[in-house]
């Protein structure tokens, strides 16, 4: 291994706990390192994979931010999710060996390419790796159920509050602030994901600002009152 490869091996990666199972032995970690075929840099706006493309690998995001989307019948892009460093992307391709969405970088990004046949092979030998892959797939199913609930029964305020709380929670797990975030996506992309019009997203942000719940400066958002944001999603019962 050359110095560059060693520096970015799974065993030395600061995101190891987020995208790798805990408790692997040194030997097992070395074998997982060998799975990572290569690392790919993706420029902002470029596509990691496209709908209909043959599925061969999962991708662990090392740096950067992605959105997944599908083209709706009227030709517009429907955003289906946002993924960040430490998360695994490409699970949609497992079902029928083809990707079912586009994955586009929202900022310059780098991913670790993990050939799926190698992951399956090693999973049969390392139980904790198999459990971890199942856990990642399960998390994706739970997330999709959450989105369906979001789109099916929540008002605009609830949708945006849930989105912000979820985003800040995921960022906090990566060592970032519990109250400040920079939105890598546009308000239009947020609206597409939440099933809201652009004007509704902007109006709801303004409402949160007026009520002193958040401060917004372009893409920089500071949550001033987390409890108020949580109350929008889970209103407290009146006595």
């Amino acid at each position: 291994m050359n110095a560059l490869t060693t520096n970015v091996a799974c065993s030395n990666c600061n995101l190891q706990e987020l995208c790798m199972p805990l408790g692997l032995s040194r030997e097992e970690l070395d074998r997982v390192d060998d799975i990572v075929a290569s690392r790919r840099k993706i420029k902002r706006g470029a596509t990691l994979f496209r709908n209909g493309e043959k599925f061969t690998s999962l991708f662990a995001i090392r740096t950067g931010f992605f959105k997944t989307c599908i083209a709706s019948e009227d030709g517009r892009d429907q955003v289906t999710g946002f993924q960040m460093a430490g998360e695994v992307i490409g699970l949609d391709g497992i079902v029928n060996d083809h990707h079912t969405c586009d994955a586009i970088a929202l900022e310059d990004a780098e991913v670790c390419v993990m050939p799926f046949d190698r992951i399956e092979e090693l999973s049969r030998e390392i139980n904790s790796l198999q459990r971890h892959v199942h856990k990642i797939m399960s998390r994706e199913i739970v997330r999709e159920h959450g989105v369906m609930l979001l789109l099916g029964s929540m008002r605009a305020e609830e949708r945006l509050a849930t989105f912000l709380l979820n985003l800040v929670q995921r960022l906090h797990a990566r060592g970032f602030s519990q109250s400040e975030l920079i939105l890598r996506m546009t308000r239009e992309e947020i609206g597409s994901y939440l099933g809201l019009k652009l004007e509704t997203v902007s109006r709801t942000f303004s409402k949160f600002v007026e009520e002193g719940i958040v401060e917004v400066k372009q893409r920089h958002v500071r949550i001033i009152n987390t409890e108020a944001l949580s109350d929008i999603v889970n209103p407290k019962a009146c006595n």
Side-chain angles (χ1 to χ4, degrees):
M1 278 191 179
N2 62 35
L4 181 64
T5 312
T6 307
N7 287 345
V8 288
C10 299
S11 49
N12 296 318
C13 179
N14 63 349
L15 295 169
Q16 182 194 321
E17 288 183 17
L18 290 167
C19 63
M20 279 294 137
L22 292 169
L24 291 181
S25 69
R26 182 73 233 185
E27 185 198 345
E28 287 170 338
L29 258 177
D30 286 343
R31 294 182 72 189
V32 171
D33 278 349
D34 290 339
I35 287 181
V36 180
S38 60
R39 287 171 185 81
R40 199 185 299 172
K41 288 187 188 299
I42 313 287
K43 285 281 180 200
R44 181 175 174 227
T47 305
L48 175 61
F49 55 79
R50 291 188 180 281
N51 181 14
E53 209 172 279
K54 187 168 172 49
F55 166 74
T56 56
S57 304
L58 294 177
F59 304 94
I61 304 170
R62 269 183 58 75
T63 59
F65 224 98
F66 285 84
K67 70 172 178 179
T68 45
C69 52
I70 51 173
S72 55
E73 286 178 16
D74 59 6
R76 285 181 306 170
D77 277 346
Q78 168 67 51
V79 176
T80 56
F82 298 104
Q83 298 80 21
M84 63 180 73
E87 294 180 342
V88 174
I89 191 170
L91 294 156
D92 61 292
I94 296 173
V95 184
N96 60 11
D97 294 330
H98 284 85
H99 287 290
T100 57
C101 61
D102 296 347
I104 299 161
L106 293 176
E107 60 181 351
D108 289 354
E110 186 181 18
V111 298
C112 299
V113 182
M114 302 184 294
F116 191 63
D117 54 354
R118 299 279 310 281
I119 292 174
E120 281 193 304
E121 198 179 301
L122 196 54
S123 287
R124 284 193 280 272
E125 296 172 45
I126 304 175
N127 286 339
S128 59
L129 183 61
Q130 187 174 52
R131 274 197 306 274
H132 193 68
V133 172
H134 290 162
K135 200 169 160 185
I136 290 168
M137 291 163 78
S138 172
R139 194 186 301 143
E140 193 64 14
I141 293 165
V142 170
R143 189 196 63 78
E144 286 197 359
H145 284 176
V147 173
M148 283 163 67
L149 184 69
L150 198 69
L151 300 183
S153 61
M154 288 187 175
R155 296 176 295 111
E157 290 87 350
E158 292 172 306
R159 294 183 196 193
L160 188 59
T162 301
F163 174 74
L164 291 173
L165 287 168
N166 173 263
L167 205 53
V168 85
Q169 185 183 12
R170 285 157 68 196
L171 286 165
H172 182 57
R174 284 147 188 79
F176 293 99
S177 166
Q178 268 185 296
S179 59
E180 299 198 31
L181 63 151
I182 293 168
L183 298 174
R184 304 296 178 191
M185 66 293 290
T186 64
R187 279 168 174 53
E188 197 163 7
E189 286 165 336
I190 294 171
S192 175
Y193 178 63
L194 297 178
L196 298 171
K197 289 189 170 134
L198 172 60
E199 308 80 64
T200 310
V201 174
S202 297
R203 197 165 55 241
T204 310
F205 263 119
S206 299
K207 187 172 187 285
F208 287 175
V209 170
E210 282 164 26
E211 291 173 359
I213 297 170
V214 299
E215 264 179 16
V216 180
K217 286 177 185 167
Q218 291 164 324
R219 291 200 178 192
H220 187 273
V221 176
R222 187 160 77 91
I223 299 171
I224 302 165
N225 192 339
T226 307
E227 198 180 334
L229 212 53
S230 300
D231 286 348
I232 291 168
V233 183
N234 300 302
K236 289 193 174 82
C238 297
N239 293 327

